[in-house]
Amino acid sequence: MLAADLDGTLLGGSPHDRRRLFDALNGDPDITVVFATGRGLASVRALLRDDPLLPPPHWIIADVGSTIVDATRMAHARALEARLRAGWPGAGRVRAALEAFPHLVYQEQVPQEGRCSFYLAPDALSDELIRAVEALGCSWSYASGRYFDVLPPRAGKGRALELLAQTLGWPRRAMLVAGDSLNDLSLFRLGTPAVVVANAEPALTARVPASDRVHHSALDGAAAVLQGIERLGRPPRRSVVVGYHRPPVCWLDGAWRPPPSPALPATSSSTRSPLP
């Protein structure tokens, strides 16, 4: 099972490397792909529609871990989401309580559920703001020196993946996580095999727990993810091509028809050996 962030991770790297990763994942039906992203579901669906190099997921963890979706049916896992969103006071109450902080700019055009996402400069991330969020009974995430997310107290990418793994019976040793942003940190705290991509946010690299299970790759984005898969002992699958000297169909009497099977040489009755 591969759980990876999108921006900077699955979407990161050169088109060549993204194609290699796409082919590796698309060619191995035994790998379950999970997106673990800060994007909302509508944004993820738009990417899947418009980006031919994005591997199709089996599950989507969205909204910084507040949303879980079965991607094969595009259906919300409501029972799991209820556990992740327990204690959420609602976007209206959160925004009203944080109006006193003028440096917070709500992301009006960003589709989001079960969270409130703001733009915030690093020097405006104050203890007073954090206390206001905690007074609401919420948790928070800050990433890339710009994105401030107010979340339900039990939400997060790592918690969402943990719930999903428990529900579906995924063993930790068979899970690989990959990310580049500080809001991926909770994924790296699960104790599974993991890859930090070379283009990761420095704050993530500095705070990922030291472990022989964590590989700090020298490669960016998709190339690093592919390297992590190979380090787990899953070499790329090779295709077998079967060639045949005759075409599968031929044009005969105005229609495409299967060719006749090769005939055996005729044998005269006088030379045929009698059956016992």
Side-chain angles (χ1 to χ4, degrees):
M1 192 283 301
L2 169 68
D5 188 23
L6 289 178
D7 299 275
T9 305
L10 290 181
L11 295 173
S14 69
H16 171 72
D17 289 332
R18 291 192 59 207
R19 168 59 69 181
R20 290 175 57 229
L21 178 61
F22 177 90
D23 290 343
L25 295 176
N26 216 34
D28 192 337
D30 294 331
I31 297 179
T32 298
V33 177
V34 180
F35 291 171
T37 178
R39 291 174 178 256
L41 181 59
S43 177
V44 175
R45 295 184 71 168
L47 277 175
L48 287 168
R49 181 189 66 235
D50 299 335
D51 191 334
L53 295 182
L54 189 60
H58 298 79
W59 292 89
I60 299 170
I61 294 172
D63 293 302
V64 201
S66 297
T67 297
I68 298 180
V69 172
D70 178 347
T72 61
R73 299 182 295 118
M74 283 298 168
H76 286 261
R78 297 295 183 187
L80 297 182
E81 288 182 349
R83 295 172 66 179
L84 291 169
R85 299 184 188 186
W88 177 238
R93 184 179 169 194
V94 170
R95 293 183 65 180
L98 300 182
E99 284 181 349
F101 298 90
H103 298 292
L104 276 178
V105 179
Y106 185 71
Q107 298 181 36
E108 294 283 357
Q109 305 304 318
V110 174
Q112 49 189 285
E113 296 183 58
R115 59 160 171 151
C116 279
S117 296
F118 302 87
Y119 298 115
L120 182 70
D123 57 2
L125 180 58
S126 63
D127 292 340
E128 184 182 4
L129 173 58
I130 293 171
R131 285 194 295 269
V133 171
E134 291 175 347
L136 288 164
C138 296
S139 61
W140 57 277
S141 170
Y142 188 65
S144 303
R146 186 182 184 192
Y147 303 110
F148 185 78
D149 291 285
V150 180
L151 305 167
R154 296 176 179 84
K157 293 183 181 181
R159 176 59 174 155
L161 181 59
E162 186 175 44
L163 283 178
L164 192 57
Q166 290 172 355
T167 301
L168 299 178
W170 294 336
R172 289 178 186 255
R173 66 181 181 277
M175 298 164 60
L176 174 69
V177 302
D180 68 285
S181 172
L182 196 55
N183 65 24
D184 298 322
L185 182 60
S186 59
L187 293 171
F188 292 92
R189 289 175 170 166
L190 295 177
T192 70
V195 177
V196 181
V197 301
N199 55 301
E201 182 181 356
L204 175 68
T205 303
R207 293 180 62 182
V208 167
S211 170
D212 57 5
R213 296 187 183 92
V214 178
H215 173 56
H216 290 261
S217 179
L219 303 175
D220 289 346
V225 176
L226 186 57
Q227 184 183 62
I229 294 172
E230 293 170 352
R231 284 172 61 89
L232 280 180
R234 296 191 68 90
R237 292 193 169 200
R238 292 175 172 82
S239 300
V240 176
V241 178
V242 178
Y244 188 49
H245 70 284
R246 305 173 71 205
V249 292
C250 60
W251 185 258
L252 183 64
D253 297 330
W256 288 108
R257 305 179 188 278
S261 297
L264 294 174
T267 305
S268 69
S269 58
S270 61
T271 60
R272 186 177 299 157
S273 298
L275 293 174

